[in-house]
Amino acid sequence: MIKITFTAAAIVAGLLASHADAREDKPARAAAMFERLDANSDGKLSLAEIEARSAERFARADANNDGALSIEELRAAGDARRAKRADRMMQRLDANDDGSLTRAEMEARRNPAEMLARLDTDKDGALSAEEFAEARQHHRHGKKGKPASE
């Protein structure tokens, strides 16, 4: 049980901590995205501006311009998003700018003890399967892995 709990904690730490900087950058990225979406620079997003962004994303993914997205086009669009995310991760974590990430660079920003304390809702010093699942669910929805009880 201890080994499984430790392994689960390590997995959660990896899933959540690798995006710690991304969470810190969210306000700046959100502001930049808002600025891009606000086509008329009035400080508000209209339905037309939101719909225009949606149409742009669809058009970028529709490589053959047939008005429909094939599975290949969807995969390619996903690959492009993953590549951008990987590029941002490299920029954030590559401390010596050598174009590769060592394990030390990957782990430099992690604090497993802090994460465990935050995610361990029953404060028993370990993550249960339920706490682990809840953390993963919240992480997927951009809630910093924080359990609902916080």
Side-chain angles (χ1 to χ4, degrees):
M1 175 64 178
I2 292 172
K3 185 176 182 180
I4 292 171
T5 302
F6 179 76
T7 301
I11 291 169
V12 169
L15 291 171
L16 300 177
S18 66
H19 299 292
D21 287 335
R23 289 193 302 268
E24 292 170 11
D25 293 343
K26 274 189 179 179
R29 286 197 338 242
M33 180 180 283
F34 186 91
E35 194 172 305
R36 282 193 312 272
L37 292 172
D38 185 15
N40 62 5
S41 301
D42 67 352
K44 301 175 192 172
L45 293 182
S46 68
L47 179 58
E49 289 167 324
I50 294 168
E51 288 173 339
R53 170 69 174 164
S54 178
E56 289 170 17
R57 288 184 74 180
F58 186 92
R60 259 197 325 270
D62 186 14
N64 63 4
N65 298 313
D66 69 351
L69 298 180
S70 67
I71 188 66
E72 293 81 12
E73 289 169 323
L74 286 173
R75 287 180 181 148
D79 290 345
R81 283 191 300 276
R82 281 189 292 283
K84 285 181 182 178
R85 219 174 342 200
D87 290 344
R88 286 192 307 265
M89 184 177 181
M90 182 64 74
Q91 289 174 339
R92 283 191 320 273
L93 300 178
D94 186 15
N96 62 1
D97 293 321
D98 68 351
S100 62
L101 295 177
T102 64
R103 184 173 179 170
E105 286 172 319
M106 294 283 295
E107 294 176 350
R109 297 188 180 235
R110 294 182 184 172
N111 185 338
E114 182 181 294
M115 261 184 262
L116 180 61
R118 185 177 68 241
L119 301 174
D120 180 19
T121 58
D122 63 9
K123 304 302 178 200
D124 68 352
L127 290 181
S128 67
E130 293 80 17
E131 289 166 328
F132 178 78
E134 187 173 349
R136 283 186 44 88
Q137 180 66 25
H138 287 285
H139 177 68
R140 285 186 186 145
H141 296 289
K143 296 177 183 157
K144 300 183 186 180
K146 290 184 179 178
S149 62
E150 287 188 10

